Structure formats: C-alpha cells, structure tokens
Amino acid sequence: MTEVTSSVAGVEVSLDHWIGGKRVSSSERFQNNSPIDGTDLGAVSAGGKAEVEMAVEAAISAFPEWAALGAEGRKPILDKFARGILARNEDLAKVECADNGSLLMGNIHRLVPRTAQNISFFAEYAMSLQDHIIDHEEVTNDVRYDPSGVAALITPWNAPLMLTTWKIGPALAAGNTIIVKPPEWAPLTCSMLADIAHEAGVPAGVLNVVQGIGEDAGDALVNSPELARISFTGSTDTAKIIGQAAARTITPMSSELGGKSPLIVCSDANLDAAAQTVVMQYMNAGQVCLAGTRILVESSIEAEFLEKVRRALGQMVVGDPREANTRIGPLIHPEHFARVAGFVERAKAAGGEVLWGGATSDVGDLYFQPTMFTNVGLDAEISQCEVFGPVLTWQTFDTDEEAIAVANGTQYGLAGTLFSGNEDRAMRIASRVVAGTLWVNCYFVRDLSAPFGGSRISGIGREGGSHSFDFYCDIKNIAVRKGSFAGGGN
Ligand code: NAD
C-alpha cells in the first residue's frame, strides 16, 4: 500500500508504521484532530496483531548486530540521531504543538533540546557505566550488562517526544532493539523520530514504530511472547492490564504512572517563589503527571499567600498554544475534556468552593479555565483522584505532622514539592513524604542521571542514569575461580 502522509503545520509527516526500515500502511485507520481548533491532521494507520508480529520479527532479526556493536559502536549513530532531532527542532515543536496542544515556544526552547539530550546522554552513559570486576578472595566476579533483547515502549499523549525518547535513549544505548507504540491522541512526532533515526544510520529493524489504539495495537504488543522488556508510561488503570500480560510471560515491566502530588508551603518559605510555583502547576493545561495538584498551605500565612497566588495567576493566559504569550493551551481531546469537566461539576455538587475558574474558557471548545477548589474534604473525589487538567485543590495545615499526613493521604506517590526557609524543617518533612521525587524550594528539575519514578500506585521501578540500564540490561555475573585455568591465569 502507498504511504500516507499529512501536512501538519507545514511539515510533511508520515501517518504509517515504521517497521524493519520501511513504511507500512494499514487499511484500518484512526482519525487524528488537533486539540487547538479541531483541524484534521489525518487518518493514521491502526495496527493490530499482524503489524506487531512484523515489528517483533524485524526487531529480533536486527538485535544481534546492534547488540554486537557495543556502546562505542552505537554512540556515534545515537549522537547523530540526537543532532538530527536538534536540526529539526522547529518542525518537531510545531507538530507536537498541533498534535497535543503543548506550547510552541516551550517545545522549541525546552522540549526538543531535552528530547535530543535524552538520546545523547544515555549514549554517553552506556560508555562509562556497565561492565566491571568485583574482586573476591576466591573468585573474580565479572559483571556484564548484556542487552536484554526486544523492548516494547508505550507512552502517553501529554509529552510524547520527551517521554518516548526518555525510553528510546537508554533502551538503544544498552543495545536493545525496540518497538514504540505511540499514543493515539498524539501519534505524529514519534513517526518523525523514526525518519530522523533512519537518516542518522540507526539500522533497519532496530527502531520500529507501530501506530494504533491502545486496546488493539498496544494489547497485541504487550501480549507478544517474544518481548524481553515492557516499559510503560501512562495511567495506573492501563498499567494493571499490561501488568497481567507481562506476568503471563514473566516479562520485566517498568511503569511510570499517575500522580496526585502535594505542594506544601510553610510559613517560613519564600512566598513569592512558592506562589510562582503554584501557578506553574497549570502548565500543559495541568496535563502533567508530576503536577503538584494539592496545595497545602500553613494556616498562619494563608491570606497573604492566597493574595500572592492570585496575583501570579494573572500571567496564566489561556489561549492558542502557538501564541508566545499563552501559558495554558487546550485539553487534548473532547473525551478528556468531558472527564475533566465531570470532576469539576462533581466537586461543586459535593460542596467544593471555587476560588477561581471552574468553567470552560471562551477561547475554544477544549479550553478550560485554571481552577482552584477549597473547602473540599480530604476523602473527596477531587482530593483523591488524578484529574489531569488545570484543576487544583487548596487546603491548610497547622502542624508539620498534619502536613505530612495530608500529603501522604492518597494512594499515589509520584512527586511532591515543598517550600520552606528552614533546612532542618524542610528535610524532616521531605524525608517523610512518600514520593519518588520531592523538590525542595524548586520544581520540575529533572537531572537525567537522577532516579525518577513513583511509589505506591504511581509506578514500579525507576528510570534515569544507572536505573535505566539496570532495567534494559540482563545483568550477569561470571564468577571465575581464581587460579583455576591452566597456567594459573585469572
Ligand atoms: P493511558 O494509560 O490511557 O495510555 C497510555 C498509553 O498506553 C497509550 O499509548 C495507549 O495507547 C496505551 N494503552 C492503552 N491501553 C492499552 C492496553 N490495553 N495495552 C497496551 N497499551 C495500552 O494514559 P494516557 O491517558 O495516555 O496518559 C495519561 C496518564 O499518563 C496519566 O495518568 C498521567 O499521570 C500518566 N503519565 C505518567 C507519567 C510518569 O512519568 N509517571 C508521565 C506522563 C503521563
């Protein structure tokens, strides 16, 4: 079948799979529209079992040669891939913006550079880390980081470029071959990554992209018996389904899931910095797993702090994400919009008081006002469930014990943020909040070598630095008895 492409924001993008170094078209297709204004972005190939089988076969065939290259052999190719991403910064930024409504300027200045870094950082890291000797009295432990085989990478729509390359980088650098299943609500930039990787010399079959709906293409992929790894970022509910498939074949699975993170503001904090950070939680229209959606404020400074947040809120312009002064773009999809609006309506009906927002914005169909609820019980749906929209809750506390108890009072444990001017106090609270990442007097700082992941229902495992390699490698110890070879070697 002939390849189908679409002109998206002036950039020609393939709407087909990338399997074994070739574009593959499916007769089944799914419609993709821009959340900005509903523009038709084209009908994308909807893969299923047949396309997944082709991709698995291609990835298996490509594995021995890619693995044999070693970290040194793979690095120049991956570095070229990273440079290729930077060279197409504006194209990638525009397409990601059209596809998922993220801010164009943010994409150009932060997202695409970080996307490239996700590839080059792990290519470099793979060179330095890995194989080492642990010497023992009787044996030499020769520890090897062997590539594991074929890895399935599944990601969500809120930041496909960033989240997919955060997996592609270490998986390829470690010597695996991969099958990417992009999110069906924002599938386009993953398709572009396939072209860029190909142009950089990533061999056919090493990086494959199977487009499709989660319950079809995604399900077929995670049920493939040939996988060595499944790396998933998405919702907790989907992780439970994928986990069952992984359990059937004992395939290691890492999962980065949802959150309902606290943002704690103590009376001794820099309140201006804290207020700026509160309004940052509306970034990407609140469609950020790490967002601190529960604002916990020490009672003694509540009135003063509320005033500062209100003032900072003035910068949070809702609008077209292609405009430079826009800070909050659209929600991704009508279905998701209805979900967010449903949470807001139920919170109001349950007695929640709206401090600001609480309604649709008049910018367009999928735009929602930044919203803050107070007067909500700790067990209320809006205090417990991930909304994944520009909707926060405001609560107060009188003691540190109370702040910690409320912070830990959901099933999630992805992240947390704390503002305090007192180091002892800050570290005391920080050490007791259950979270994979706890930011103190800062927010959203993510070092690629630091561990990242969630506790409780926010995930299994950690990614970043050596943690990524621990996941994507089969770590083997060859323990050799000293002096056991002819000639007394070793
Ligand atoms: P989702 O779980 O609905 O979908 C994620 C991906 O899984 C998509 O590619 C989808 O097609 C696929 N999928 C769906 N059903 C599947 C199945 N049965 N088998 C295999 N694949 C399947 O999540 P979403 O709505 O796309 O994303 C939002 C969620 O992602 C939120 O909960 C958010 O917090 C979370 N998230 C977490 C992180 C993190 O790093 N912890 C980052 C971003 C988003």
Side-chain angles (χ1 to χ4, degrees), residues 91-210:
D91 288 349
L92 287 163
K94 281 189 199 160
V95 173
E96 186 97 317
C97 169
D99 209 13
N100 78 347
S102 52
L103 300 184
L104 179 61
M105 285 301 148
N107 291 351
I108 290 175
H109 295 298
R110 290 183 298 277
L111 183 92
V112 179
R114 177 61 173 231
T115 296
Q117 212 193 348
N118 281 343
I119 305 295
S120 55
F121 172 88
F122 287 108
E124 176 68 31
Y125 206 104
M127 303 271 293
S128 57
L129 158 87
Q130 314 305 336
D131 304 352
H132 58 277
I133 300 286
I134 301 172
D135 199 30
H136 179 270
E137 233 172 88
E138 293 172 29
V139 298
T140 302
N141 296 290
D142 182 352
V143 180
R144 307 274 180 94
Y145 279 68
D146 293 341
S148 63
V150 177
L153 314 181
I154 302 179
T155 50
W157 44 262
N158 64 320
L161 269 179
M162 156 68 205
L163 295 169
T164 310
T165 50
W166 170 244
K167 297 179 188 306
I168 292 176
L172 290 187
N176 302 291
T177 52
I178 60 175
I179 298 159
V180 175
K181 209 302 279 168
E184 56 268 46
W185 284 351
L188 300 181
T189 48
C190 287
S191 178
M192 294 172 72
L193 285 177
D195 293 327
I196 298 170
H198 174 63
E199 283 156 22
V202 172
V206 169
L207 183 161
N208 305 279
V209 176
V210 175

Side-chain angles (χ1 to χ4, degrees), residues 154-158 163 181-184 213-215 218-219 222 232-235 238 241-242 256-259 289 386 388 414 452:
I154 302 179
T155 50
W157 44 262
N158 64 320
L163 295 169
K181 209 302 279 168
E184 56 268 46
I213 305 298
E215 290 77 1
D219 184 72
V222 298
F232 172 72
T233 298
S235 66
T238 304
I241 299 169
I242 296 178
E256 305 280 6
L257 311 177
C289 56
E386 183 185 48
F388 222 54
L414 186 58
F452 174 81

